[in-house]
Amino acid sequence: MLNYLVSLLFICVFFSPLWASPLVDFQVAQPLTLPSDAKQCTVKILERTFAFSYGSPEVVSYTPATDCGTPGSWAGISLNLTVTSNGTQYDRLGIFTLNNVEIWRTSTPEPTRGDGIIWTYLKDVTRYTPLFAVPGTFTLELDNLIETGLDGEYASVLYATFYASSAQHPPGLHADVILPISTLANNSGDLISVPPTFSLNVTVPRNAISIYAEIIPSGNGDEEFWCFNIPNQWLNDLPADTTFGYGPFREVRLMVDGSVVGVVFPYVVVFTGGIAPTLWRPITSYGALDLPTFYVDLTPFVPVLTDGQPHNISMDVVSAENDHEINQNWYLTANLQVVTDKSSTKPTTGKITVYDVQPFAETTTFGSVKNGVVSTTVTATRNIHIESDIISGSGERTHVVWLQSLSYSNVQTYRQNASVQTLRQTTTGSVSSTHNGQSTIVDNFSLPFNVDFTYLTPDWTNWTTSVDHSYNRVAAVHPYVISTTIKNHQTAAAFFQLASTGNFGFGNNSNTFSYSDLNGNTYTWDVSSVNTSITHNAQGGTLAQNHQLPDETSSEVQSIFAKPRLPGRNNP
Ligand SMILES: *[C@@H]1O[C@H](CO)[C@@H](O)[C@H](O)[C@H]1NC(C)=O
Ligand SMILES: *[C@@H]1O[C@H](CO)[C@@H](O)[C@H](O)[C@H]1NC(C)=O
Ligand SMILES: *[C@@H]1O[C@H](CO)[C@@H](O)[C@H](O)[C@H]1NC(C)=O
Ligand SMILES: *[C@@H]1O[C@H](CO)[C@@H](O)[C@H](O)[C@H]1NC(C)=O
Ligand SMILES: *[C@@H]1O[C@H](CO)[C@@H](O)[C@H](O)[C@H]1NC(C)=O
Ligand SMILES: *[C@@H]1O[C@H](CO)[C@@H](O)[C@H](O)[C@H]1NC(C)=O
Ligand SMILES: *[C@@H]1O[C@H](CO)[C@@H](O)[C@H](O)[C@H]1NC(C)=O
Ligand SMILES: *[C@@H]1O[C@H](CO)[C@@H](O)[C@H](O)[C@H]1NC(C)=O
Ligand SMILES: *[C@@H]1O[C@H](CO)[C@@H](O)[C@H](O)[C@H]1NC(C)=O
Ligand SMILES: *[C@@H]1O[C@H](CO)[C@@H](O)[C@H](O)[C@H]1NC(C)=O
């Protein structure tokens, strides 16, 4: 018997390198900061293999866990999405919606055939506790297609973990009421598609004293590579189908009864089939598994919104073109995190004392065509200043100051009949809201995005590319979203070849990531890959002890990919 076990062990050790093990894909991010020593209740929310799932999301009934304290009293909530896939497939968008509120937008790494791929992403969703505290409907929309040449299915399982609160671990902080700004459909992820402008009648609790809007934007279709779109005036100076028009500047506007209250200059999310799939394996582009969200303080409009009547909350996405139009389409949703007066149900009143907001950003557009070189420069600046005096039902007076100061610049150059392309984009912002001088929203960011492209053949069937981008952000919504400082710098380079026998390529990717927060948690992760093998992998900081790094030396010889997504139509 012992001999048998020893030889079994020998066989296992000896042959284990031959056992199929999928490539582990991941996005750099900080580990969860929820208390690992709290009592935890983990429940499976849903499990589904998304094959031909277009228009058929997973919709399940949700019931709050009751074994980790009274629903809603939790110290925190996290989600664990784990997905495997084997085959050829595009990246797909994934939308998690609880009671019509989108709580997480993700996308899928592109699979390959053979051993396939697997990924897990853990997400802190404590700020959505009011939604998790009551029974409802949980939806994952992941529109996948199975057709000739595309057979990758996404086998997905989602768990939620509830962390019991205790004397040591107080309940997580969150707003009192969360209202959806979405299509409110019950059979989808409720994404709003703009254009046209989306509008919804919203009635807020009359005793609302603060309202924070969280906005989730992403470009789709002809707007997926929005930052590569060229101003209409120069579109015809490029070979047909090089890119789309309406320029590269995009601003998401949030309006109440037609007045702009706040805007978002979006972060560029490159999905894993974007530009060259071999840039993003096994390390995805930063944000691809957890699309960044942005906050606008709606509190200055509380005196308008608390009259008990429905108000027209609308959103759109506009460009720097004269008509402000864009292509089809952007996907948006928002949610309103509403804080109510604890000691009174009497309505909040007050008045807006400063409203210094232009309908559109200030923009400039330049371009030139010289010696066959087409270049364009688009810049934008945006300053928003709104102040209000608010009197709660219980008599407390609050002076609110909401400020956004954003700037943007995009320089595109097309040489050699557009076969050599460069993009240099910077987006910076300083956003703040104070309530009686106390800082509530802080959002300072710098989001440079630089790409170089060289098509190596006149038919544009192979190319080299490099991407150098960063996500540097200090953000908080005090006290509901703790102040975090994230700095990520990612550089990636790749070669890609389209071929009738199967598209292939190779690439490398390098990330320097750091995280710190107001609770004293710190984390650093430096990770690089070459041709899907991890070549450098080091973590540090207080959060490192609970986090196991992916450790892989890929034996993958050559993978076949779906056609990459590139700027422009039908390219190549
Ligand atoms: C996430 O879920 C996967 C699949 O069920 C599981 O293997 C993994 O251990 C989970 N991770 C954590 C941190 O709970
Ligand atoms: C992936 O699918 C292929 C068939 O397309 C199959 O040969 C292979 O065994 C599968 N791999 C795994 C790990 O299931
Ligand atoms: C969604 O379901 C809710 C609750 O059942 C219902 O009130 C609402 O009308 C439904 N929405 C749509 C668009 O059907
Ligand atoms: C909101 O309701 C008003 C009537 O109260 C109606 O006239 C208006 O069309 C509605 N707006 C939207 C966006 O549904
Ligand atoms: C709501 O506001 C938007 C933006 O100003 C506007 O386009 C729309 O017509 C308004 N809807 C109604 C029903 O007033
Ligand atoms: C420029 O590229 C277009 C398509 O990419 C091609 O049709 C055209 O012949 C090229 N022109 C020159 C001068 O190479
Ligand atoms: C955000 O930027 C503003 C303006 O540059 C600065 O005054 C403020 O200190 C910054 N806040 C943080 C938390 O970095
Ligand atoms: C690019 O593709 C062409 C055929 O379309 C091929 O001749 C050439 O060798 C390829 N270049 C590289 C660097 O592989
Ligand atoms: C990454 O790939 C680019 C282009 O393919 C190459 O020039 C560079 O040396 C590579 N870097 C590493 C670390 O392998
Ligand atoms: C990456 O793969 C390409 C193509 O197979 C190969 O030419 C290159 O040498 C590889 N790079 C490294 C560092 O292994």
Side-chain angles (χ1 to χ4, degrees):
M1 183 63 185
L2 190 64
N3 274 351
Y4 172 75
L5 283 178
V6 166
S7 47
L8 193 66
L9 186 69
F10 175 77
I11 290 165
C12 291
V13 169
F14 191 79
F15 286 105
S16 61
L18 298 179
W19 287 9
S21 78
L23 183 72
V24 179
D25 285 318
F26 58 93
Q27 181 207 299
V28 294
Q30 67 280 10
L32 293 175
T33 54
L34 295 168
S36 51
D37 58 341
K39 183 186 176 195
Q40 294 169 30
C41 300
T42 296
V43 296
K44 189 195 283 182
I45 300 283
L46 57 86
E47 182 161 15
R48 165 86 178 267
T49 295
F50 291 91
F52 198 112
S53 57
Y54 196 89
S56 161
E58 187 67 8
V59 182
V60 299
S61 294
Y62 165 80
T63 314
T66 51
D67 295 343
C68 274
T70 313
S73 71
W74 305 298
I77 313 168
S78 64
L79 296 179
N80 171 350
L81 173 69
T82 298
V83 186
T84 57
S85 187
N86 171 22
T88 303
Q89 190 52 264
Y90 288 124
D91 59 66
R92 302 292 186 185
L93 211 53
I95 302 101
F96 295 87
T97 304
L98 180 51
N99 294 346
N100 302 116
V101 176
E102 183 182 13
I103 59 170
W104 179 11
R105 192 175 302 177
T106 188
S107 72
T108 63
E110 287 204 352
T112 46
R113 193 180 315 284
D115 297 341
I117 63 165
I118 186 168
W119 77 92
T120 288
Y121 194 88
L122 306 175
K123 183 168 170 82
D124 188 329
V125 289
T126 308
R127 66 181 180 278
Y128 305 115
T129 296
L131 302 170
F132 281 93
V134 294
T137 303
F138 203 115
T139 304
L140 170 54
E141 177 177 342
L142 199 164
D143 285 347
N144 194 28
L145 290 174
I146 302 294
E147 56 191 42
T148 310
L150 294 178
D151 61 353
E153 303 180 350
Y154 291 107
S156 314
V157 58
L158 181 73
Y159 290 90
T161 298
F162 301 87
Y163 299 72
S165 57
S166 60
Q168 197 191 349
H169 302 300
L173 294 172
H174 50 79
D176 300 302
V177 178
I178 301 184
L179 301 174
I181 307 293
S182 71
T183 63
L184 306 181
N186 295 322
N187 56 357
S188 79
D190 291 0
L191 289 182
I192 294 164
S193 176
V194 299
T197 302
F198 174 84
S199 300
L200 185 69
N201 270 331
V202 178
T203 307
V204 307
R206 298 205 68 185
N207 63 339
I209 48 172
S210 301
I211 305 178
Y212 305 106
E214 182 183 21
I215 299 172
I216 314 183
S218 59
N220 180 64
D222 296 359
E223 292 284 305
E224 178 171 342
F225 294 98
W226 50 279
C227 59
F228 268 103
N229 293 354
I230 195 163
N232 287 341
Q233 195 182 338
W234 287 279
L235 185 58
N236 292 332
D237 292 310
L238 297 175
D241 301 339
T242 301
T243 184
F244 299 104
Y246 293 107
F249 172 68
R250 295 293 178 268
E251 172 179 67
V252 184
R253 304 189 307 164
L254 179 69
M255 292 156 282
V256 172
D257 298 332
S259 300
V260 174
V261 181
V263 300
V264 177
F265 280 14
Y267 169 74
V268 180
V269 180
V270 185
F271 301 114
T272 60
I275 305 175
T278 46
L279 291 166
W280 314 121
R281 277 164 56 86
I283 310 172
T284 73
S285 177
Y286 186 79
L289 300 190
D290 190 3
L291 275 71
T293 70
F294 295 85
Y295 277 91
V296 162
D297 197 357
L298 270 185
T299 309
F301 271 69
V302 157
V304 171
L305 292 167
T306 50
D307 64 357
Q309 299 302 310
H311 288 270
N312 176 5
I313 303 230
S314 57
M315 289 198 288
D316 64 7
V317 177
V318 293
S319 72
E321 295 292 301
N322 290 335
D323 59 6
H324 304 291
E325 304 253 310
I326 63 167
N327 304 287
Q328 283 292 345
N329 68 312
W330 276 73
Y331 285 128
L332 307 175
T333 70
N335 65 77
L336 304 185
Q337 299 175 20
V338 181
V339 184
T340 53
D341 189 354
K342 299 288 177 299
S343 53
S344 178
T345 53
K346 273 168 53 190
T348 307
T349 57
K351 69 169 196 286
I352 298 172
T353 56
V354 176
Y355 180 81
D356 183 5
V357 185
Q358 297 301 315
F360 298 100
E362 255 178 69
T363 61
T364 65
T365 300
F366 301 101
S368 65
V369 185
K370 276 186 209 127
N371 306 323
V373 179
V374 179
S375 25
T376 60
T377 300
V378 175
T379 68
T381 55
R382 181 48 128 160
N383 289 294
I384 282 178
H385 178 186
I386 309 175
E387 296 191 23
S388 276
D389 286 316
I390 288 173
I391 305 144
S392 73
S394 54
E396 197 185 329
R397 288 169 175 272
T398 306
H399 184 67
V400 179
V401 180
W402 165 235
L403 298 167
Q404 288 190 293
S405 171
L406 312 176
S407 64
Y408 168 89
S409 150
N410 175 294
V411 179
Q412 298 177 39
T413 312
Y414 298 82
R415 297 169 204 278
Q416 296 173 34
N417 199 23
S419 64
V420 179
Q421 307 182 2
T422 61
L423 170 67
R424 299 288 178 266
Q425 178 170 295
T426 59
T427 306
T428 56
S430 169
V431 173
S432 81
S433 180
T434 57
H435 294 186
N436 279 345
Q438 151 94 52
S439 175
T440 52
I441 292 181
V442 173
D443 194 354
N444 287 356
F445 52 84
S446 164
L447 311 169
F449 183 73
N450 303 308
V451 183
D452 287 78
F453 244 118
T454 302
Y455 289 102
L456 302 173
T457 55
D459 60 356
W460 290 18
T461 51
N462 56 20
W463 60 94
T464 58
T465 179
S466 61
V467 179
D468 182 332
H469 69 150
S470 297
Y471 181 90
N472 300 316
R473 197 171 177 195
V474 185
V477 183
H478 183 78
Y480 306 108
V481 181
I482 190 180
S483 176
T484 61
T485 302
I486 289 175
K487 292 189 175 128
N488 188 54
H489 180 209
Q490 185 174 47
T491 56
F495 167 79
F496 205 79
Q497 170 84 60
L498 298 181
S500 54
T501 48
N503 309 322
F504 65 93
F506 52 86
N508 56 52
N509 189 315
S510 177
N511 292 253
T512 310
F513 177 84
S514 73
Y515 168 93
S516 62
D517 68 31
L518 203 62
N519 284 344
N521 297 304
T522 60
Y523 187 66
T524 59
W525 186 5
D526 290 352
V527 58
S528 302
S529 64
V530 177
N531 289 355
T532 74
S533 290
I534 302 287
T535 52
H536 177 71
N537 206 5
Q539 63 176 343
T542 61
L543 297 172
Q545 57 188 354
N546 296 326
H547 187 237
Q548 202 192 334
L549 292 179
D551 170 24
E552 56 198 341
T553 306
S554 169
S555 56
E556 212 167 56
V557 184
Q558 194 69 81
S559 298
I560 300 300
F561 295 90
K563 195 171 145 185
R565 293 277 305 158
L566 290 161
R569 195 191 325 260
N570 303 322
N571 273 334

